[in-house]
Amino acid sequence: MLQDYKLGLRALLKFPGLTFAGGLALAIAIGVGAGWYDIWGKILSPTIPLPDGDRIVLIETQNTLTSRPELRIARDFLEWRRELKTIDDLGAYRTVARTLATSEAAPEPIQVAELTAAAFSTARVPPLLGRGLLASDETPGAPSVIVLGYGAWQRSFGGRQDVVGLVVNVGSTPATVIGVMPDGFAYPVKHEAWSPLQLRGSYGPLEGGAISVIGRLAAGVTRAQTDAELRVLAERAAAAFPSTHEHLQSRVAGPGEMRDVTGIAHLALTNVPVLLVLLIACMSVGTLVYARTATREGEIALRSALGASRGRIVAQMFAEALVLGGVAAIVGVTAAAFALRTWGMLFLETNMGRLPFWFDLSLSPRAFAGAIFLTVAGAAIAGIMPALKITRGMGHRLKQTTAGSGGLQFGGVWTVVIVAQVAATVMFPAVVYVEQSLLRGVQDFDPGFANEQYLAVQIERDYPIDGGANVDAATLERN
């Protein structure tokens, strides 16, 4: 077997032009394929980088009539908090946009998570300074307090160690800083500060503003068990409030898990260009390797005449393709890791907005596993399939071969096809580079006037969670 790989390396060096072109196409295909497979995995089923992060769950409620999420679930949350035995530290939160104003820095807009103390404690991450939120902080009438994220602390206070106890303005409300969270902490999603969510003692059906419910599975409990417990409570609520709860369904999901078919389909459509690049690269490699195998028909015929079996010849061609694929995989994965570090964050945030805190752009073991699979699959397609085709009927062709006959020759059409495929593959990195340059150009665009003297304001209606007004789901979704 080792001899096959040595012969494969020599054969590749014997055809440097085809080896370079095929290797480049394979490197692009493997690098793009492995990188995108890794990103897709992180989007569809993220890993939460918190202590026992796989135990953190959300309770999502869906209206089966409108196929929309129902967010006005304050009444249900209070019932779940009393009745659910399979979830620990069940809490609620909502995201609000606020302006953080201090006497030491310019005001800046930040995303604040208004949440209950139980929701804050589900992260199991201690503050860097001060303390986190307590149940007493969410009591109506309690003093306004705020926990700052590491970035907001650095920008607004320059990392002052005596920040705890200072008063800042969060929107129009003065609040006392009680703590600072460690760098990288943006729980539950991509938040920069945390303040108490103050709830009333009771709510009517679909009363109050929009909230999300988060908690931790109790020790030894599975999601299926929690779903079963939720179904019992849902049936009881539907019987008590048929006009509002008959078509509501609640289920357990992990943070960031994408289960919406429409969202997955949209994400798939945005990746069509990547699939086209992979297709072009595979076509290029297949054409090139078949061309190289076909032009070696005389060599293969000679080996067959000397007693080499068809399986032995096919194994040799596979070994050559595997050597080429291995080198291409190293180059492709290295390039993918560099591209993700250099351009990945810019590209994803331009298309998806600020990324959740759990999204890590470094390649995971899943990417390397994908690269190995693509390498072996590519070697099988580029090595075994052309070898099987060229060795079919080899014994009959040997009888018809004369001393002066040569291998298969490729005319002008084949040459144009090969050059076009390779050119399309090689263009991909150039297109990506130009796209990222344009994105950076947009960010660094000089408007031609003193834009720092102007301020853009986004006004959103903020529905108080303790308000009594009912708001329909469409209005909540627009806001």
Side-chain angles (χ1 to χ4, degrees), residues 84 160 200 357 393 405:
L84 284 177
R160 282 180 53 177
R200 298 203 312 261
F357 76 95
S405 63

Side-chain angles (χ1 to χ4, degrees), residues 37-404:
Y37 170 68
D38 192 37
I39 291 176
W40 262 79
K42 291 175 179 178
I43 292 175
L44 297 177
S45 183
T47 299
I48 307 302
L50 294 173
D52 296 323
D54 59 328
R55 307 293 295 174
I56 298 175
V57 293
L58 301 172
I59 296 182
E60 299 177 342
T61 301
Q62 190 88 0
N63 188 320
T64 58
L65 282 181
T66 62
S67 296
R68 294 174 179 269
E70 179 55 69
L71 304 176
R72 298 164 297 167
I73 52 174
R75 189 214 72 86
D76 305 276
F77 163 68
L78 294 178
E79 181 182 21
W80 294 336
R81 189 167 63 176
R82 290 191 306 267
E83 302 293 338
L84 284 177
K85 307 302 181 184
T86 56
I87 294 184
D88 294 334
D89 295 329
L90 187 66
Y93 76 92
R94 68 170 189 157
T95 301
V96 294
R98 294 287 185 264
T99 299
L100 179 65
T102 70
S103 60
E104 303 182 20
E108 65 165 319
I110 59 172
Q111 279 198 328
V112 179
E114 291 185 351
L115 73 177
T116 62
F120 191 82
S121 65
T122 56
R124 302 285 197 272
V125 175
L128 183 66
L129 297 174
R131 67 171 177 87
L133 298 177
L134 303 177
S136 57
D137 295 325
E138 62 191 66
T139 304
S144 297
V145 296
I146 188 169
V147 178
L148 296 178
Y150 187 89
W153 172 52
Q154 291 292 325
R155 293 189 301 270
S156 297
F157 293 97
R160 282 180 53 177
Q161 296 295 310
D162 60 346
V163 66
V164 174
L166 297 181
V167 176
V168 299
N169 286 324
V170 184
S172 59
T173 304
T176 302
V177 177
I178 59 173
V180 175
M181 297 305 293
D183 189 15
F185 183 86
Y187 189 75
V189 185
K190 45 187 175 182
H191 297 89
E192 302 168 279
W194 301 265
S195 61
L197 177 65
Q198 297 181 343
L199 299 173
R200 298 203 312 261
S202 64
Y203 289 86
L206 303 187
E207 185 183 12
I211 60 171
S212 299
V213 178
I214 193 168
R216 273 183 176 267
L217 294 176
V221 172
T222 65
R223 293 187 185 183
Q225 291 174 303
T226 302
D227 278 330
E229 194 175 13
L230 279 172
R231 281 196 296 271
V232 173
L233 296 179
E235 291 172 0
R236 189 166 71 187
F241 311 104
S243 61
T244 56
H245 281 64
E246 183 179 1
H247 300 289
L248 297 186
Q249 289 184 352
S250 298
R251 65 182 182 184
V252 174
E257 288 183 357
M258 185 177 292
R259 297 190 179 187
D260 179 51
V261 175
T262 303
I264 295 175
H266 174 73
L267 186 61
L269 288 175
T270 61
N271 286 279
V272 168
V274 176
L275 299 178
L276 291 177
V277 169
L278 293 177
L279 177 62
I280 293 173
C282 290
M283 290 172 59
S284 301
V285 174
T287 304
L288 288 168
V289 175
Y290 177 69
R292 184 168 62 84
T293 304
T295 55
R296 295 169 61 192
E297 185 177 17
E299 172 197 336
I300 294 173
L302 178 60
R303 293 186 62 189
S304 180
L306 293 175
S309 66
R310 187 185 185 196
R312 186 74 179 83
I313 295 173
V314 171
Q316 176 62 43
M317 297 297 103
F318 173 71
E320 290 183 18
L322 195 58
V323 170
L324 177 63
V327 175
I330 295 174
V331 174
V333 170
T334 302
F338 174 79
L340 285 176
R341 287 196 307 269
T342 307
W343 302 318
M345 184 67 72
L346 174 64
F347 175 80
L348 290 174
E349 290 193 344
T350 300
N351 290 275
M352 300 172 58
R354 188 165 178 258
L355 297 178
F357 76 95
W358 59 74
F359 206 91
D360 181 13
L361 285 177
S362 62
L363 293 181
S364 68
R366 174 168 42 202
F368 294 99
I372 293 173
F373 171 78
L374 290 174
T375 300
V376 175
I381 295 173
I384 294 178
M385 294 181 64
L388 289 175
K389 182 173 181 62
I390 204 68
T391 56
R392 184 180 297 119
M394 180 59 71
H396 176 71
R397 293 206 304 276
L398 278 174
K399 297 177 182 179
Q400 299 178 343
T401 302
T402 63

